[in-house]
Amino acid sequence: MIRWIIALLVLLFIEIYAYQAFKTIFKLKWALLVYQIGSILLLLFLFYSFSKFDRSVGQTKQTMLTMGIVLLVYIPKILLTLIMFGEDLFRLATGAINFFVNNDSEISNFPSRRKFVSQVAMGLAAIPFASLIYGIFEGKYNFKVIKQTVFFPDLPDAFDGFRITQISDVHSGSFDNKEKIEYAIDLVNQQNSDMILFTGDIVNTHAKEMHPWLDTFNRIKPHKYGKYAVLGNHDYGEYITWPSIKDKEDNFQAIKNLYHQIGFQLLLNEHAFIEKEADKMALVGVENWGHNFKKAGDLNKAAQGLTKEDFKILMSHDPSHWEHVIKKDDKHFHLTLSGHTHGLQFGIEIPGFFKWSPVQYMYKQWAGLYENSGRYIYVNRGFGFHAYPGRVGIWPEITVIELKKGKSIV
């Protein structure tokens, strides 16, 4: 109950300040009344929707719609609140100076709001509003093929130029446009890589979410050196309340079967050797291991029998595994492929120059290539979307990594 009261107070604070900006610009009584009624109805709708969330079902199209509305409405309003509250602090300081320092009765102790500030605030708030609208209708399917070359001095000669396609975080239960997904699969096939790796989260929660998309993902063509996958945190069905342990276990088994149904070999804390000509490298796959999520991954078991000298590529869904465990491991895992973060599906990215997302304050490695002492991790930005039904600035990704023999550089 207390958290609902706190949430209501925060929302009321935001609504009051956002209304100040609106009231300063628009003077017509009917427009102000429409704004007030609309805001109240929206608040009631949101509280109703969140109160009806069913933990036995988990995320649905309705919950995603609700989250989309929350972000669409309240990110601009939060920006308005920050600007208007900042103006109030300035007005308060000005009033205090006038009263205590200038001691001039003809000068207003507390200046009135300036229309210009409200206009600037509304203009700035329109930017995230328009961006979130774009993200919902177009951005979530704005697939990008990102190519990355990684150099290793000890790469086996036969693998010089070896190409790997990586996809991650499909979240098939969120899809709503078959044509767009088919287009993305065509992009995957066009890369003509030697091997394809899928680093987890095939569904949001239930195996049945993938059933309408099995034929589409079966269009991913065979790759000469195989199609491999690992599990992600959502594949365990941890985020809903199940009727029984058996139901949860049956769903988990069905999710593991999904990977096989689309032609991927699932590595569950194990490894396989990829052989090319007279050389070989080890492909290691661990179950999900997250610093703040399920820790089912067993790196020692997956790499049993391997040595420091073996060239190793590791698939581990959550990049926090690399930060807390993998990069310090004595067996020296050359390249780790992860996903999980989605880049929060929101941020600003100018390739080669600038990259920012709020998720970087939670994960040190959240999108792209990172290096530590000759060990690399690449974090895929995700194929699908979850919670917020869109993407802004951080687009869905198909990664193509080329292995090259040579001096390690980033």
Side-chain angles (χ1 to χ4, degrees):
M1 184 64 181
I2 295 178
R3 65 179 181 179
W4 285 100
I5 294 174
I6 293 174
L8 180 60
L9 291 174
V10 171
L11 287 175
L12 287 175
F13 180 79
I14 292 171
E15 289 291 353
I16 289 170
Y17 267 98
Y19 177 67
Q20 297 305 312
F22 194 85
K23 186 175 68 172
T24 304
I25 297 175
F26 301 98
K27 302 297 185 180
L28 295 174
K29 289 185 177 180
W30 69 265
L32 298 177
L33 183 61
V34 168
Y35 178 90
Q36 292 169 346
I37 293 174
S39 296
I40 291 171
L41 290 176
L42 178 62
L43 274 174
L44 293 174
F45 167 75
L46 294 179
F47 273 91
Y48 173 79
S49 295
F50 282 116
S51 69
K52 292 299 181 181
F53 178 75
D54 188 347
R55 278 195 57 83
S56 67
V57 176
Q59 178 177 280
T60 64
K61 293 292 193 297
Q62 180 63 36
T63 59
M64 291 186 67
L65 173 63
T66 301
M67 183 57 69
I69 292 174
V70 168
L71 296 176
L72 185 63
V73 172
Y74 283 101
I75 286 182
K77 285 190 174 184
I78 288 171
L79 183 56
L80 284 176
T81 299
L82 292 174
I83 296 173
M84 302 307 291
F85 183 66
E87 185 190 21
D88 273 359
L89 294 178
F90 176 80
R91 292 166 65 208
L92 182 62
T94 302
I97 292 172
N98 289 339
F99 184 80
F100 292 107
V101 179
N102 295 332
N103 196 26
D104 188 344
S105 60
E106 295 183 1
I107 300 177
S108 173
N109 289 332
F110 197 66
S112 60
R113 292 193 179 279
R114 292 170 293 177
K115 184 177 181 180
F116 171 73
V117 173
S118 296
Q119 289 173 328
V120 170
M122 293 288 281
L124 291 175
I127 296 173
F129 181 81
S131 298
L132 288 162
I133 287 286
Y134 174 81
I136 291 172
F137 290 98
E138 295 292 337
K140 64 186 178 184
Y141 294 129
N142 185 20
F143 291 96
K144 302 295 182 184
V145 176
I146 298 180
K147 298 183 178 182
Q148 179 73 60
T149 302
V150 190
F151 292 83
F152 299 95
D154 56 346
L155 179 71
D157 292 341
F159 289 94
D160 189 16
F162 193 84
R163 286 162 52 88
I164 300 169
T165 292
Q166 180 197 6
I167 59 173
S168 190
D169 300 88
V170 163
H171 290 284
S172 55
S174 301
F175 294 155
D176 55 15
N177 189 318
K178 185 176 181 181
E179 182 179 342
K180 295 291 187 180
I181 302 305
E182 289 178 343
Y183 165 75
I185 298 302
D186 288 341
L187 284 179
V188 170
N189 287 332
Q190 288 169 16
Q191 305 315 308
N192 292 317
S193 294
D194 297 293
M195 181 169 64
I196 183 168
L197 305 179
F198 182 174
T199 46
D201 278 1
I202 195 170
V203 295
N204 294 329
T205 300
H206 297 93
K208 63 184 179 182
E209 297 166 13
M210 186 65 182
H211 292 167
W213 305 99
L214 288 173
D215 289 343
T216 302
F217 278 80
N218 265 312
R219 293 178 54 218
I220 297 177
K221 66 181 183 181
H223 286 58
K224 184 176 181 180
Y225 293 92
K227 301 162 67 175
Y228 295 89
V230 292
L231 297 172
N233 57 304
H234 281 269
D235 294 329
Y236 294 85
E238 297 281 304
Y239 305 116
I240 70 167
T241 302
W242 292 93
S244 68
I245 294 176
K246 184 178 185 303
D247 287 313
K248 182 179 179 181
E249 291 175 346
D250 288 346
N251 183 70
F252 182 46
Q253 185 58 52
I255 286 174
K256 289 189 287 186
N257 290 340
L258 290 175
Y259 288 95
H260 296 293
Q261 289 173 45
I262 60 171
F264 282 79
Q265 180 179 338
L266 192 60
L267 296 179
L268 301 170
N269 294 324
E270 57 189 316
H271 66 267
F273 282 107
I274 309 300
E275 299 183 3
K276 185 179 182 185
E277 299 173 7
D279 292 323
K280 66 179 181 180
M281 67 177 178
L283 178 64
V284 184
V286 295
E287 292 193 51
N288 190 79
W289 191 104
H291 186 59
N292 297 311
F293 290 88
K294 188 178 183 67
K295 293 179 173 62
D298 188 335
L299 188 61
N300 290 329
K301 179 181 178 182
Q304 188 174 7
L306 298 179
T307 68
K308 182 178 181 179
E309 289 69 33
D310 290 317
F311 190 86
K312 297 173 287 296
I313 293 177
L314 171 66
M315 291 189 290
S316 181
H317 176 73
D318 190 321
S320 67
H321 195 194
W322 189 81
E323 175 63 25
H324 292 278
V325 178
I326 297 166
K327 74 177 186 181
K328 307 169 188 175
D329 194 279
D330 291 337
K331 284 190 176 177
H332 188 92
F333 292 89
H334 296 74
L335 174 64
T336 299
L337 300 179
S338 297
H340 181 64
T341 72
H342 301 205
L344 206 66
Q345 297 167 209
F346 182 89
I348 303 170
E349 192 166 9
I350 304 173
F353 295 96
F354 182 76
K355 182 173 64 176
W356 174 87
S357 167
V359 79
Q360 71 188 54
Y361 306 115
M362 296 177 279
Y363 290 88
K364 289 185 177 181
Q365 299 80 32
W366 60 275
L369 187 68
Y370 303 83
E371 183 268 345
N372 180 273
S373 302
R375 310 171 197 215
Y376 292 83
I377 181 172
Y378 190 92
V379 184
N380 181 284
R381 294 160 180 83
F383 186 96
F385 51 94
H386 181 257
Y388 164 57
R391 281 179 175 265
V392 177
I394 307 296
W395 311 122
E397 174 180 359
I398 297 161
T399 312
V400 179
I401 294 176
E402 183 176 10
L403 307 179
K404 293 294 291 182
K405 192 176 182 70
K407 184 179 178 180
S408 297
I409 59 173
V410 177

